[in-house]
Amino acid sequence: MLQDNDTIRIPDLNDAAVHGILEVISDGIWDWNANTGYVHRYPGWYQMLGYEPHSLGNTVFTWESVI
């Protein structure tokens, strides 16, 4: 069991563990490439708004149309 002062380093974890952690903490996270206009949104972004993951367009204007 980890104590408050214990540290876990990402390189010490396997890929599945890192992926699982990112899934849990990634609600609302998105990444925008301003050069191409492409926006990648993590599944949590869609789910917290009531949409199926990756069911909306991958542009910066998608958010504008949702609100």
Side-chain angles (χ1 to χ4, degrees), residues 25-48:
I25 65 170
S26 67
D27 285 350
I29 294 179
W30 51 276
D31 185 31
W32 173 38
N33 183 329
N35 292 324
T36 65
Y38 180 83
V39 178
H40 173 80
R41 295 175 178 90
Y42 285 84
W45 185 90
Y46 296 92
Q47 292 167 341
M48 69 184 210

Side-chain angles (χ1 to χ4, degrees), residues 5-28:
N5 60 350
D6 289 341
T7 301
I8 297 176
R9 300 184 196 300
I10 295 293
D12 296 337
L13 300 173
N14 64 34
D15 287 344
V18 171
H19 180 72
I21 291 168
L22 291 176
E23 284 292 318
V24 170
I25 65 170
S26 67
D27 285 350

